[in-house]
Amino acid sequence: MGAPRAHNQQQRYPQPLGALRLELAPTFDRAEAGGLWWPYSRDLTREAAHLIDDFPADRGRIDRLVYAPIDWDVVATEVFTNRGRVKVGFLSADRRGGVVLLRLTGNGIVQLRVAWAAPTWRMRPS
């Protein structure tokens, strides 16, 4: 047994630009109704790490992510997070973009629709 391997987050990816912008369905009983995520940029290494690290713990833990490379300027096959490396994969070419699939430990697959700008209903004052 060796010493645990520590990951230095600041050297792996830049800090997030703000709070995680994510709306989740009340339950994940239907994969297509998983939720909506609007990242700050098209840098998957930064945005996926932010999503994985800040995903609500009471909803599950992301252990794999699959996406459409055409949606992102910076693509990757792995993402470094606060808890270590997470493998990511590509959706097949016949799948449409604008979607990220998450595999949650113990909860199966969840589909998030990706929006590149905050929805207008989120911008209205309460």
Side-chain angles (χ1 to χ4, degrees):
M1 267 187 148
R5 294 174 65 186
H7 295 279
N8 185 337
Q9 174 189 359
Q10 293 177 344
Q11 291 181 352
R12 297 292 188 177
Y13 69 93
Q15 289 294 316
L17 298 172
L20 181 62
R21 300 188 301 184
L22 179 68
E23 292 285 332
L24 295 175
T27 65
F28 294 146
D29 57 351
R30 294 180 21 211
E32 67 275 5
L36 177 67
W37 173 43
W38 50 102
Y40 290 90
S41 72
R42 291 183 183 258
D43 179 343
L44 183 82
T45 58
R46 173 185 229 165
E47 300 296 343
H50 185 200
L51 175 64
I52 293 165
D53 284 340
D54 292 348
F55 194 80
D58 63 330
R59 301 302 299 272
R61 178 177 162 173
I62 300 170
D63 69 358
R64 181 135 165 100
L65 182 141
V66 181
Y67 68 100
I70 61 169
D71 290 340
W72 302 88
D73 293 337
V74 178
V75 299
T77 57
E78 60 186 9
V79 175
F80 291 91
T81 70
N82 283 332
R83 57 184 168 83
R85 181 178 66 96
V86 173
K87 185 90 170 117
V88 299
F90 304 137
L91 290 170
S92 61
D94 62 329
R95 295 286 303 255
R96 62 184 170 83
V99 170
V100 170
L101 300 178
L102 309 175
R103 184 175 72 188
L104 302 180
T105 304
N107 285 338
I109 307 296
V110 174
Q111 176 179 301
L112 295 181
R113 295 179 54 77
V114 179
W116 298 110
T120 55
W121 55 265
R122 294 280 306 187
M123 296 182 202
R124 292 187 201 127
S126 307

